[in-house]
Amino acid sequence: MSQLIEISDPADPRLADYRDLRDVELRKHLEAEHGLFLAEGEKVVRRAVEGGHAARSFLMAPRWLEGLGDVLDRSDAPCYVVSEALAEQVTGFHVHRGALASLERRPLPSVDSVLTGARSVLVLEDIVDHTNVGAIFRSGAALGFDAVLLAPRCADPLYRRAIKVAMGAVFSLPYARLEDWYDALPQLSAAGFTTVALTLADDARPIDEAVAGLDRVALVLGSEGHGLSARWQQAADRRAIIPMQAGIDSLNVAAATAVACYVTARR
Amino acid sequence: MSQLIEISDPADPRLADYRDLRDVELRKHLEAEHGLFLAEGEKVVRRAVEGGHAARSFLMAPRWLEGLGDVLDRSDAPCYVVSEALAEQVTGFHVHRGALASLERRPLPSVDSVLTGARSVLVLEDIVDHTNVGAIFRSGAALGFDAVLLAPRCADPLYRRAIKVAMGAVFSLPYARLEDWYDALPQLSAAGFTTVALTLADDARPIDEAVAGLDRVALVLGSEGHGLSARWQQAADRRAIIPMQAGIDSLNVAAATAVACYVTARR
């Protein structure tokens, strides 16, 4: 059962996990070094804990204690009870969804293990925006995908903003980090997946035709800025496009992913 | 031809249009009162001007002048040339895409005029998040929709953040504001549209079945928080859902819109 500890000094060292949450670079460093991540909001905190992540601590104003009562009852981590003003002072932003939790990262599963039994997977090359990563996880989970593979430079799904946008889908949709960028797609093909790259390339076929009748599919998505690398475009088994109106450059990567997942799930 | 005017005093009254861009409430008030809006980034500024909006002024650091040279050549509005530090000081954020422009709003067209000739329209009830409004315009434009109708409380598509996320689609996709919320959908039905409400209601049919074979379609979307109002759900001709995995609450409204637009465009 979580022990409630009132804290009124913003410099209290027990609040270290929650400091300066808006400073992306600082947080990346701190979270990697200490193997932690932050969850925000009652629903997301609950899903993180139910997803098997051990809490290091909780932080919230008194009015959020009741809603998370059952989660706190089952946890041994301390719950720091603070005023909303102090929460804002420590984190650097107005915590309008109330509760925060600092949780322990777990070792990521291997690529092989997340692919076992999977029929539809997403492969993200260099998606660097946490909002996009979160949105892609949310759509993938909702539309029936089984796993996500991340290229070495893809943004961290356990970054606070990604978790929030994903509405916790980062805890339910298994994912792994690819170690070998160069040969990642041929290795997926060898594992029995047809790799389908979403691209604006001239030889791309409409997505519904590209996935029709396929068994195991790996849908491959590139970065929001420059799209897929030349290597991955060439290495993919098929290239697919979402047909668009003349004169429009492209869809946002999260919107394109939602459409592609919907179509692929119904292949 | 735009006159280049160097400014080094952050308090210069000519910079009034650009002040405190991160203060949403202040900006809403100021922009409504003065009939202006702000565009950010070379591509978006260009599209705003090409979309027929007269510039009141431009604001940029020297290194962005060349890229917008042709736009400045064709404009009579002054271009305030400032250091990047001064731009940040005045606007309140780091203007990493460089150019800003303050442009004049135009009177919105009537609902009837944007519906003339339209076959696929989006109807947004109370979408209050500017990012979502922008994302919906971008997807709608890319996937072949002809117009957007906004309920009285839907967020402003010409707010800076919405314009940026829409990549300028707010300038190419015609839109109008509905005056009568209560009877908006029956009036659309009377105008020859089948209104299809996206909802999680029990009697909702899969979206592809709901739109199959329809001629004129109005796709009706509710707010990100609570979905469509009871009134609009009941008043719609049909209720439709994007089939999702068990245990998942919902898709993000922008992702759901992208899928629904894709399916509806191929009806």
Side-chain angles (χ1 to χ4, degrees):
Chain A
M1 186 169 173
S2 179
Q3 191 189 351
L4 305 186
I5 301 170
E6 287 189 32
I7 293 184
S8 55
D9 174 8
D12 192 306
R14 291 172 292 185
L15 302 181
D17 285 3
Y18 302 95
R19 222 166 280 292
D20 299 325
L21 294 186
R22 295 191 63 177
D23 186 329
V24 177
E25 289 311 315
L26 172 71
R27 295 300 309 185
K28 280 185 186 169
H29 182 71
L30 185 149
E31 297 185 8
E33 187 165 300
H34 295 282
L36 65 89
F37 68 95
L38 266 278
E40 177 186 0
E42 179 182 326
K43 193 181 279 188
V44 170
V45 167
R46 179 183 301 279
R47 288 183 182 169
V49 172
E50 290 173 354
H53 290 280
R56 292 160 57 98
S57 65
F58 301 89
L59 176 83
M60 63 193 77
R63 67 181 172 122
W64 302 100
L65 287 169
E66 191 180 332
L68 278 168
D70 59 316
V71 173
L72 296 174
D73 280 349
R74 289 191 301 269
S75 175
D76 292 328
C79 177
Y80 304 128
V81 182
V82 301
S83 68
E84 305 203 6
L86 187 136
E88 183 166 348
Q89 197 179 345
V90 171
T91 62
F93 73 108
H94 178 59
V95 189
H96 62 94
R97 283 170 199 250
L100 291 167
S102 171
L103 301 119
E104 292 188 2
R105 288 172 184 263
R106 293 182 303 189
L108 284 183
S110 69
V111 170
D112 285 350
S113 75
V114 303
L115 291 181
T116 302
R119 189 168 171 263
S120 305
V121 304
L122 285 163
V123 190
L124 313 186
E125 196 179 19
D126 295 341
I127 314 244
V128 295
D129 181 284
H130 292 108
T131 300
N132 285 333
V133 170
I136 290 169
F137 268 80
R138 185 172 176 190
S139 291
L143 295 169
F145 273 63
D146 305 307
V148 180
L149 300 179
L150 311 174
R153 290 187 299 188
C154 185
D156 176 15
L158 290 186
Y159 192 76
R160 180 174 59 93
R161 175 86 192 143
I163 296 174
K164 187 172 163 184
V165 172
M167 291 296 289
V170 291
F171 306 123
S172 59
L173 189 57
Y175 67 92
R177 185 71 73 170
L178 294 159
E179 288 184 9
D180 179 1
W181 165 79
Y182 191 82
D183 278 323
L185 299 194
Q187 285 168 7
L188 273 167
S189 302
F193 287 84
T194 303
T195 54
V196 179
L198 217 59
T199 157
L200 301 173
D202 289 339
D203 65 345
R205 297 154 56 188
I207 178 75
D208 54 338
E209 294 175 21
V211 299
L214 293 178
D215 181 18
R216 302 180 90 186
V217 172
L219 200 57
V220 183
L221 304 161
S223 89
E224 44 279 276
H226 305 285
L228 281 169
S229 66
R231 166 65 189 167
W232 276 32
Q233 290 203 48
Q234 286 154 9
D237 297 314
R238 301 183 182 188
R239 278 156 293 285
I241 191 169
I242 296 168
M244 277 172 267
Q245 290 298 298
I248 305 277
D249 333 57
S250 66
L251 283 162
N252 163 278
V253 67
T257 303
V259 171
C261 286
Y262 174 87
V263 173
T264 303
R266 311 170 82 76
R267 64 189 181 271
Chain B
M1 187 168 173
S2 178
Q3 191 188 351
L4 305 187
I5 301 170
E6 288 190 31
I7 293 184
S8 56
D9 174 8
D12 192 306
R14 291 172 291 185
L15 302 181
D17 286 3
Y18 302 95
R19 222 166 280 290
D20 299 325
L21 294 186
R22 293 191 64 178
D23 185 332
V24 178
E25 289 310 315
L26 172 72
R27 293 301 308 185
K28 280 186 187 169
H29 181 71
L30 185 149
E31 296 184 8
E33 186 165 301
H34 295 281
L36 63 89
F37 68 95
L38 267 278
E40 177 187 359
E42 179 181 325
K43 194 181 280 190
V44 170
V45 166
R46 179 183 300 280
R47 288 183 182 169
V49 172
E50 289 173 353
H53 290 280
R56 293 160 55 99
S57 65
F58 303 89
L59 175 83
M60 63 192 78
R63 67 181 170 121
W64 302 102
L65 286 168
E66 190 179 332
L68 279 168
D70 58 317
V71 172
L72 296 174
D73 280 349
R74 289 191 300 269
S75 175
D76 292 328
C79 177
Y80 304 127
V81 182
V82 300
S83 69
E84 306 205 4
L86 188 136
E88 183 166 346
Q89 197 179 344
V90 171
T91 62
F93 73 109
H94 178 59
V95 188
H96 62 92
R97 284 170 198 249
L100 290 167
S102 170
L103 302 119
E104 292 189 2
R105 287 172 185 262
R106 293 181 304 188
L108 284 184
S110 69
V111 170
D112 285 351
S113 76
V114 303
L115 292 181
T116 302
R119 188 168 171 263
S120 305
V121 305
L122 285 163
V123 190
L124 312 186
E125 197 180 16
D126 295 340
I127 313 242
V128 294
D129 181 286
H130 292 108
T131 301
N132 284 334
V133 169
I136 289 169
F137 268 80
R138 185 172 176 190
S139 290
L143 295 169
F145 273 63
D146 305 307
V148 180
L149 300 178
L150 311 174
R153 290 186 298 188
C154 185
D156 176 15
L158 290 186
Y159 191 77
R160 180 175 58 95
R161 175 86 191 141
I163 296 174
K164 187 172 162 184
V165 172
M167 292 294 290
V170 291
F171 307 124
S172 58
L173 189 56
Y175 67 93
R177 184 72 72 170
L178 293 160
E179 289 184 8
D180 180 1
W181 165 77
Y182 191 82
D183 279 323
L185 299 195
Q187 285 168 8
L188 272 167
S189 303
F193 286 85
T194 302
T195 55
V196 179
L198 218 59
T199 156
L200 302 173
D202 289 339
D203 66 344
R205 298 154 56 187
I207 179 74
D208 54 339
E209 295 174 22
V211 299
L214 293 178
D215 181 16
R216 304 180 89 185
V217 172
L219 200 57
V220 183
L221 304 162
S223 89
E224 43 280 275
H226 306 285
L228 281 170
S229 65
R231 166 64 189 168
W232 275 31
Q233 290 204 48
Q234 287 155 9
D237 297 315
R238 300 182 182 189
R239 278 157 293 286
I241 192 169
I242 296 168
M244 278 172 265
Q245 290 298 295
I248 305 276
D249 336 55
S250 67
L251 284 161
N252 163 278
V253 67
T257 303
V259 171
C261 286
Y262 174 85
V263 173
T264 302
R266 309 169 83 76
R267 66 188 180 273

